[in-house]
C-alpha cells in the first residue's frame, strides 16, 4: 500500500487559489459534498479540485486540433474554422470527424472487449471448464437463442448454449456478413442501414477499419468517416454491449424489480466494508460469493467485525444493484470522496472509469486498493489478478486483506448518514411481463398508453457524472422535467444512481409526474423512472425500442418512435459511442457538458441535422436541463404529430413550442 505517498501530497492550503471552492456549486449529492469538505480540510485533492485548478483546453474541447502525425500536431482556429488547414491540408471537418472516430473506436472497444470476456466465460462454462459460474437463467438462454434463429424445441440446454456461443462469437470475429443481433432490428431501420452500407460486420473488423481510416492520409471525407463511426458504434450497441447484457443475464439471472438502497449511508462502521468498482460482473459475482462464505464471515467476526458489508460503485454496482439488490455507494464522481469516510476497508476494481487518483486517495485514508484485471493496472495499487477459472481465489484474498485493515483501521470513520431506497432491476423482459401479465406478456399496453397520450413518449437518460458540471444536478432536473411532461424515463449507469439518490425510483415519485404518466404508474405500480442497469445495458433500451416498433401503431422504424435520449453529464468515450449508436439507430440524442465539434462546420451540421435527413436520428446539445428536456419533448411531439397521435390539447402546446424553437 502507498501510505508513504501521504506525505508527498501537496496540501490544498499550498495550492494557490483565488478563492476557496464551494463544493455546493459542484455537486448536489449531500454525502459527496460532506466528504469533499472533509478531504479539503484533511489537505488532499480530488477530481473536483483538480478540475477547478485546470481549465479544459479550449482547442481540444472544440476538437480543432490533430496529432495523428508528426508533421503536426496541428491547431486550427475554432473561431474561424475554415481559415486554416493542417500541414497535410486536413480541414476542420476531417480533423473533427477523425477525432470523433477515434472516440467511437475506444468507447466501442471498451464495451465489446467486456462483451467478449463475458462470452469467453460463457463458452468455458458451457464446455465444463469453469466451475465457479453456471447458467442460472435457462429461459433467457432459450429466448436469446430463439431471437437469432437457433432451434430450441426439444434440445438440451447444453446444445442450445453451444450453438449460442458459436453464433455470438461472430459479433466480434466475423470478417464478412451481418452480426447476429441485427436479426432484432426492425426491418425498416435495418433497410436504412443496408442502404447506407453500415450494417456491422465483426466488431474487431469495424474497430480495425476505423483506426485505419483515421490514420494520417486515409479517409478525408467527413461524411464517409461518419458512416464508419455509425457502423462501429452499431457493432457496440447491437453487438458487444448486447452480448454483454444477454450473457450476464443468462449466467447471473435476468433482473427483476426489487427494493434496494443507494448512497454512502450503507457503509457500516462495525463491519468490514468492501467496495467493488468497475464494469464486468465477474469480479463482483465472485466477491458476493466470498463475502457470503461462512468461513470468511467467521474470520471477520474473529477480527471484531459484525460481518462483511459489500457495496458497488459505478456500472459494476449498477448491474448488481439491479440483479441482486447489493447496495450502491455512489456514481463515478463519488469514487474518491467515499474513500474519505475512512470506512472503506477495501476497494477492488476491474476495468473502465477508474480514476488513477484512487490508489493515492486510498493511501491517504488507509483503504486497501486492489486492481484485479491484467488490462488495468495502476501504479500504487496492489494487484491481485482475477482468473475466471478460480474466481474465489482473488476475492477471498481481498476479503482477508480487508479484514486485516478493519482490525487496524488507522483513524475514526465518518459515514454520511444518507440512504435512499428505490425500485431497481427493470429489464426488457420484466417490462413486457409487468405491462402484459404472465399470460400475455407484451408491450401492447405501453404502445396503447403512448397512442392515447397518457404517456407522451419514452426518454433514456444515461451516462456519467463530470466535474465540469454540478454532479447529479442536470440528471435530476432533466428527468423531473421529463416526467412532469408525461415522458416515461428509463435509465442506466451513473445517471440512474443520481436519480435513485434523489428518490425518483420510489413508486410514490409518481406524484411528480404529469397526470397521464402518474395514472399509468399508479395502475401498474411502478415508479416514473425505471432503473435498467449498467451502461452496456443500454442495449436493453434498444431492444425495448425494437419491441415498440414490432407491436405496432408507432411507425415502422425506430426513427418513427416518440423517443429521445440524453447524457447530460457525460465524460467518457464510451458515452460518445453509445450516443452514436442511438443516433444511427434512429434516436434523437442530446449531450451536455461540451461537444467535440465547432458549431457551424459541415461535420457539425451532419451530426446535428444531416443524419436525420438520411433517416437516422440526430445529435443535440444543451447545457441547461430544462432546455434539454424541452428539446426532447418537442422532438417527441414532432414524432407524435407525424404518427397522427397528437391529442387536441397537445397539438396546441406543440404549435406554441414549435413557433418558439427552430427545433420543432
Ligand atoms: Ni458508463 Fe460505467 Fe459511469 Fe459513465 Fe463510467 S461508470 S460505462 S462511462 S462514468 S456512466
Ligand atoms: Fe497535422 Fe495532417 Fe498530421 Fe493531423 S495528419 S497532425 S492535420 S499534418
Amino acid at each position: 500500500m502507498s501510505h508513504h505517498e501521504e506525505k508527498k501530497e501537496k496540501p490544498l492550503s499550498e495550492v494557490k487559489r483565488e478563492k476557496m471552492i464551494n463544493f455546493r456549486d459542484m455537486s448536489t449529492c449531500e454525502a459527496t459534498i460532506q466528504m469533499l469538505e472533509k478531504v479539503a480540510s484533511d489537505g488532499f485533492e480530488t477530481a473536483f479540485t483538480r478540475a477547478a485548478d485546470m481549465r479544459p483546453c479550449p482547442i481540444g474541447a472544440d476538437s480543432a486540433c490533430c496529432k495523428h502525425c508528426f508533421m503536426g500536431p496541428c491547431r486550427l482556429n475554432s473561431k474561424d474554422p475554415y481559415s486554416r488547414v493542417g500541414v497535410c491540408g486536413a480541414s476542420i471537418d476531417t480533423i473533427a470527424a477523425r477525432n470523433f472516430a477515434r472516440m467511437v473506436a475506444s468507447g466501442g472497444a471498451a464495451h465489446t472487449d467486456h462483451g467478449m470476456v463475458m462470452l469467453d466465460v460463457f463458452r468455458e462454462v458451457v464446455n465444463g471448464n469453469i466451475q465457479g459460474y453456471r447458467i442460472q437463467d435457462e429461459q433467457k438462454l432459450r429466448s436469446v437463442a430463439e431471437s437469432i434463429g437457433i432451434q430450441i424445441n426439444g434440445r438440451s440446454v447444453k446444445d442450445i448454449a453451444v450453438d449460442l456461443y458459436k453464433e455470438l462469437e461472430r459479433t466480434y470475429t466475423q470478417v464478412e456478413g451481418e452480426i447476429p443481433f441485427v436479426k432484432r432490428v426492425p426491418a425498416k431501420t435495418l433497410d436504412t442501414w443496408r442502404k447506407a452500407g453500415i450494417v456491422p460486420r465483426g466488431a474487431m473488423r469495424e474497430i480495425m477499419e476505423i483506426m485505419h481510416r483515421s490514420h494520417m492520409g486515409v479517409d478525408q471525407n467527413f461524411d464517409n468517416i461518419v458512416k464508419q463511426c455509425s457502423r462501429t458504434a452499431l457493432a457496440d450497441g447491437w453487438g458487444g454491449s448486447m452480448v454483454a447484457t444477454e450473457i450476464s443475464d443468462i449466467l447471473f439471472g435476468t433482473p427483476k424489480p426489487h427494493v434496494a438502497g443507494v448512497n454512502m449511508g450503507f457503509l457500516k462502521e462495525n463491519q468490514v466494508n468492501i467496495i467493488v468498482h468497475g464494469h464486468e460482473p465477474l469480479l463482483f459475482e465472485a466477491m458476493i460469493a466470498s463475502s457470503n462464505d461462512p468461513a470468511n464471515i467467521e474470520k471477520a467476526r474473529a477480527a471484531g467485525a459484525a460481518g462483511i458489508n459489500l457495496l458497488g460503485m459505478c456500472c459494476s454496482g449498477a448491474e448488481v444493484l439491479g440483479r441482486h439488490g447489493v447496495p450502491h455507494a455512489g456514481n463515478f464522481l463519488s469514487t474518491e470522496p467515499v474513500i474519505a469516510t475512512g470506512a472503506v476497508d477495501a476497494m477492488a476494481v476491474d476495468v473502465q472509469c477508474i480514476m488513477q487518483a484512487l490508489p493515492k486517495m486510498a493511501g491517504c485514508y488507509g483503504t486497501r486498493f486492489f486492481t484485479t484485471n491484467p488490462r488495468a493496472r495502476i501504479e500504487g495499487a496492489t494487484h491481485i489478478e482475477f482468473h475466471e477459472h478460480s474466481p474465489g481465489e482473488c476475492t477471498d484474498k481481498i476479503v482477508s486483506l480487508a479484514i486485516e485493515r478493519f482490525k487496524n483501521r488507522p483513524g475514526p470513520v465518518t459515514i454520511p448518514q444518507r440512504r435512499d431506497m428505490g425500485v431497481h432491476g427493470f429489464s426488457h423482459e420484466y417490462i413486457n411481463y409487468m405491462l402484459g401479465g404472465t399470460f400475455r406478456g407484451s408491450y401492447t399496453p405501453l404502445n396503447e398508453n403512448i397512442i392515447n397520450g397518457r404517456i407522451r413518449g419514452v426518454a433514456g437518460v444515461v451516462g456519467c457524472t463530470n466535474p465540469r458540471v454540478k454532479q447529479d444536478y442536470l440528471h435530476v432536473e432533466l428527468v423531473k422535467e421529463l416526467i412532469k411532461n408525461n415522458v416515461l424515463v428509463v435509465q442506466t449507469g451513473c445517471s440512474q444512481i443520481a436519480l435513485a439518490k434523489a428518490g425518483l425510483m420510489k413508486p410514490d415519485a409518481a406524484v411528480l409526474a404529469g397526470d397521464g404518466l402518474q395514472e399509468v404508474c399508479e395502475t401498474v405500480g411502478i415508479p416514473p423512472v425505471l432503473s435498467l442497469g449498467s451502461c452496456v445495458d443500454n442495449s436493453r433500451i434498444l431492444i425495448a425500442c425494437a419491441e415498440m416498433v414490432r407491436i405496432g401503431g408507432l411507425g415502422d422504424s425506430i426513427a418513427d418512435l416518440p423517443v429521445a435520449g440524453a447524457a447530460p453529464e457525460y465524460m467518457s468515450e464510451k458515452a460518445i459511442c453509445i450516443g452514436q449508436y442511438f443516433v444511427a439507430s434512429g434516436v434523437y440524442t442530446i449531450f451536455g457538458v461540451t461537444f467535440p465539434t465547432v458549431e457551424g462546420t459541415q461535420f457539425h451540421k451532419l451530426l446535428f441535422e444531416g443524419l436525420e435527413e438520411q433517416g437516422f436520428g440526430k445529435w443535440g446539445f444543451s447545457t441547461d436541463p430544462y432546455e434539454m428536456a424541452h428539446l426532447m419533448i418537442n422532438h417527441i411531439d414532432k414524432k407524435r404529430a407525424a404518427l397522427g397521435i397528437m391529442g387536441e390539447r397537445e397539438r396546441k402546446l406543440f404549435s406554441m413550442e414549435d413557433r418558439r424553437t427552430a427545433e420543432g
Side-chain angles (χ1 to χ4, degrees), residues 417-632:
Q417 290 306 311
R418 300 217 162 238
R419 283 176 284 271
D420 301 292
M421 303 306 290
V423 183
H424 296 273
F426 290 90
S427 55
H428 150 71
E429 288 79 359
Y430 196 83
I431 294 172
N432 208 30
Y433 162 77
M434 88 192 168
L435 291 167
T438 325
F439 298 110
R440 46 172 202 104
S442 160
Y443 271 53
T444 308
L446 175 64
N447 283 28
E448 277 169 359
N449 279 311
I450 292 174
I451 292 164
N452 70 27
R454 279 197 195 93
I455 296 176
R456 195 172 195 153
V458 181
V461 179
V462 307
C464 328
T465 50
N466 182 326
R468 298 292 174 198
V469 297
K470 201 193 254 187
Q471 182 192 12
D472 295 348
Y473 170 77
L474 291 110
H475 290 297
V476 172
E477 294 306 308
L478 168 62
V479 170
K480 280 188 178 162
E481 190 66 16
L482 288 169
I483 63 170
K484 198 171 102 188
N485 286 282
N486 293 314
V487 176
L488 176 69
V489 175
V490 294
Q491 292 212 277
T492 62
C494 291
S495 182
Q496 82 182 0
I497 303 305
L499 271 295
K501 286 185 288 182
L504 273 279
M505 263 118 194
K506 289 188 210 132
D508 56 18
V511 297
L512 299 173
D515 292 349
L517 178 59
Q518 190 177 338
E519 195 187 323
V520 174
C521 289
E522 281 164 0
T523 311
V524 186
I526 51 166
V529 182
L530 305 182
S531 147
L532 296 187
S534 64
C535 271
V536 292
D537 294 329
N538 282 319
S539 62
R540 299 191 200 276
I541 303 178
L542 293 176
I543 298 171
C545 287
E547 197 54 24
M548 283 162 73
V549 174
R550 198 182 65 79
I551 289 301
L554 295 175
D556 304 323
S557 76
I558 295 176
D560 294 336
L561 294 172
V563 301
E569 304 181 21
Y570 86 105
M571 63 86 197
S572 86
E573 292 173 313
K574 287 179 284 174
I576 293 283
C577 189
I578 292 168
Q580 186 66 23
Y581 75 61
F582 272 107
V583 168
S585 297
V587 180
Y588 177 39
T589 305
I590 311 190
F591 273 35
V593 190
T594 179
F595 200 87
T597 52
V598 178
E599 222 179 313
T601 55
Q602 297 183 82
F603 172 62
H604 183 272
K605 281 192 194 140
L606 175 62
L607 295 187
F608 285 70
E609 295 162 30
L611 289 176
E612 188 178 48
E613 287 153 20
Q614 297 168 27
F616 303 105
K618 65 175 171 184
W619 283 92
F621 176 72
S622 170
T623 53
D624 177 89
Y626 311 104
E627 183 191 50
M628 198 179 270
H630 286 279
L631 287 168
M632 293 165 83

Side-chain angles (χ1 to χ4, degrees), residues 38 269 340-343 345 364-366 405-406 408-414:
K38 180 168 189 297
E269 180 159 8
T341 59
D345 296 302
C364 296
Y365 292 94
R405 191 276 184 177
F406 174 87
N408 307 300
R409 274 191 188 161
V413 307
T414 313

